[in-house]
Amino acid sequence: MPIPREFRLPNSSERRNAGGWHQLLTSVDVHAPRGLQFRGQVLSPGAPFDPADLPRPAVVVENGGSVRTGKVLNSRYSYSNLWVLWTFDFEKEEWREVLRAIDNTSGWTLSFAPAAKRLMQPGASEETIELDARPIAEQLAAAITTRLQIVPREVRCYVLAGLAEHVSREIVKVTDSLSIMKVGYGAEATYPVLGESTPIRASKARFRPRASVA
């Protein structure tokens, strides 16, 4: 009987005590401030996982910990953070490296964020998405304008306020539709972890993305 293959998250750390972490991405906002473009599940480098538990596509930002970039042995200025962008190839069942950077600032996110978004939305450019969305937005706007024309002015203000609140809720639902929920309540809530974690106490919960909102 063949031995089941063990799958593990990438681990690019060069040293045992280099530190590091992973973020299994659920959304990317390329317009957000540096360092705040990514949302997802926090994981441990090298942790085992089941490919069936991964979202499709599966994109991971890895902080590989500190790597030596200078010649002075015991100087903190001789070390920098390693960043790697990965995607999981479900056909070959292996992780594929997309980008790599060494940076102690948030500058690495300027190239990682657009690349991660392309991986998470293959075949869909910003221009294509905007063109597809524009006629739908115009139709909805025309319908709202037509309906408001027969509503008294004092009522119209309340209608518009209600619509603004509704649109705000819908925006939150859409942008948060694939986010990872913490396990537990209050201060005890933690992110679920795939497999075992070495730097933090492992959780038995597995990754389960919420169903996307239609």
Side-chain angles (χ1 to χ4, degrees):
M1 185 175 180
I3 300 175
R5 178 182 173 185
E6 183 180 50
F7 295 90
R8 289 187 174 273
L9 294 170
N11 188 357
S12 302
S13 297
E14 297 180 350
R15 300 178 295 116
R16 180 174 298 180
N17 60 344
W21 45 267
H22 282 42
Q23 191 172 27
L24 180 61
L25 299 185
T26 56
S27 65
V28 179
D29 183 358
V30 295
H31 304 295
R34 293 185 180 187
L36 301 177
Q37 300 102 314
F38 307 108
R39 295 186 62 187
Q41 180 186 4
V42 178
L43 301 171
S44 300
F49 70 95
D50 185 343
D53 290 339
L54 292 176
R56 290 176 180 255
V59 182
V60 165
V61 170
E62 178 189 11
N63 174 280
S66 60
V67 295
R68 188 173 177 181
T69 55
K71 296 182 179 180
V72 181
L73 182 60
N74 294 321
S75 172
R76 62 186 179 91
Y77 299 105
S78 295
Y79 293 87
S80 300
N81 278 299
L82 170 65
W83 303 94
V84 188
L85 181 66
W86 301 89
T87 185
F88 190 75
D89 189 326
F90 286 93
E91 292 185 1
K92 297 182 179 179
E93 295 187 323
E94 63 183 20
W95 291 99
R96 178 171 63 87
E97 181 178 321
V98 181
L99 284 176
R100 179 177 289 245
I102 296 177
D103 196 345
N104 279 336
T105 71
S106 57
W108 61 274
T109 63
L110 296 179
S111 57
F112 275 49
K117 187 166 186 178
R118 288 193 296 269
L119 291 170
M120 297 179 71
Q121 296 180 328
S125 65
E126 288 286 339
E127 293 77 10
T128 301
I129 295 173
E130 185 177 355
L131 288 174
D132 290 342
R134 187 176 302 167
I136 300 175
E138 292 175 350
Q139 292 171 11
L140 290 173
I144 291 173
T145 301
T146 300
R147 184 68 178 86
L148 287 176
Q149 289 176 350
I150 60 175
V151 175
R153 181 184 180 281
E154 60 273 17
V155 177
R156 194 180 307 168
C157 295
Y158 286 94
V159 173
L160 290 172
L163 285 173
E165 184 178 349
H166 174 74
V167 170
S168 298
R169 288 198 301 265
E170 289 300 313
I171 291 174
V172 171
K173 286 165 60 178
V174 170
T175 57
D176 200 40
S177 60
L178 292 177
S179 64
I180 302 303
M181 300 297 293
K182 288 186 176 182
V183 177
Y185 301 92
E188 299 298 323
T190 58
Y191 284 103
V193 176
L194 287 175
E196 296 184 0
S197 168
T198 50
I200 58 176
R201 185 168 55 86
S203 168
K204 297 298 183 180
R206 285 190 169 186
F207 171 83
R208 286 291 183 268
R210 281 190 285 167
S212 60
V213 178

